Amino acid sequence: MRAWWEQLARREQLFLFWGAVVVLLLFGYLALWQPLQGALKDARSRRETLQGNLHDMQRIASEVRVLRARVRRQKQGAGGNLLSEANNTATGLGLGGALTRVQPQGDKRLQVWFKQAAFNDLLKWMQKMQGQGVSVSEVSIDRKSQPGLVDARFTLER
């Protein structure tokens, strides 16, 4: 190989040398530099997306903390007398006349009976009680002959 190189004219040697340099630079650019730049661009894009996701999650976490505190306050505020809450809520929704019996079963459990109550009003009452931190553990509803009226028994728990 050396003999072949030395038999070339000086001009041909320079031409081949600089041609090899250009080919190596082109290879370095295409094989190394361009892929690295593409990977860098992708990494920056991914970082921006992740930063946006992080910002969204921090905002949502803040909202969750606020909502948890609100629920905690509601549960603490709802720590009143279950019997009076059931009675007051029923009266406020116009079910006071249909409320026939309320029987406490300890501090945190209560049975409530309604006669000839409007079904839709009972659903509103049940929803309002659940909003006050009371859960309905048992329900028994009997349809009456008059449309929309029912007899019902609820077991409430806090």
Side-chain angles (χ1 to χ4, degrees):
M1 178 90 160
R2 188 164 181 87
W4 172 79
W5 179 257
E6 290 177 0
Q7 85 177 21
L8 295 174
R10 178 77 179 143
R11 184 179 206 170
E12 291 173 332
Q13 289 177 348
L14 286 174
F15 178 75
L16 288 176
F17 173 77
W18 288 111
V21 168
V22 167
V23 167
L24 285 175
L25 289 175
L26 185 62
F27 176 76
Y29 176 78
L30 294 175
L32 300 173
W33 186 258
Q34 252 188 342
L36 287 175
Q37 289 300 313
L40 183 60
K41 181 181 175 187
D42 291 345
R44 285 180 180 149
S45 174
R46 199 169 39 249
R47 183 190 69 197
E48 289 173 9
T49 301
L50 291 175
Q51 282 179 333
N53 291 347
L54 175 63
H55 175 71
D56 289 344
M57 288 198 287
Q58 287 172 335
R59 181 183 49 81
I60 291 169
S62 171
E63 291 175 18
V64 167
R65 281 191 294 274
V66 168
L67 292 173
R68 280 185 181 164
R70 186 180 303 158
V71 167
R72 210 174 296 122
R73 282 193 306 273
Q74 285 176 348
K75 284 185 178 180
Q76 290 170 351
N81 186 349
L82 186 57
L83 188 140
S84 64
E85 284 181 36
N87 189 32
N88 291 341
T89 304
T91 304
L93 292 172
L95 290 169
L99 182 62
T100 58
R101 183 174 167 196
V102 179
Q103 180 179 345
Q105 296 180 335
D107 290 342
K108 297 185 182 236
R109 193 171 165 122
L110 179 72
Q111 283 191 325
V112 181
W113 282 263
F114 293 93
K115 280 203 180 266
Q116 299 290 319
F119 180 73
N120 289 337
D121 292 341
L122 279 177
L123 291 179
K124 290 176 188 174
W125 174 81
M126 189 170 59
Q127 184 179 20
K128 197 160 192 168
M129 291 301 293
Q130 288 174 335
Q132 296 173 1
V134 176
S135 63
V136 179
S137 62
E138 294 177 28
V139 177
S140 173
I141 298 177
D142 296 320
R143 184 173 62 184
K144 301 315 266 173
S145 59
Q146 190 175 354
L149 294 182
V150 295
D151 289 348
R153 180 182 57 83
F154 294 90
T155 302
L156 306 176
E157 295 180 1
R158 183 174 313 265

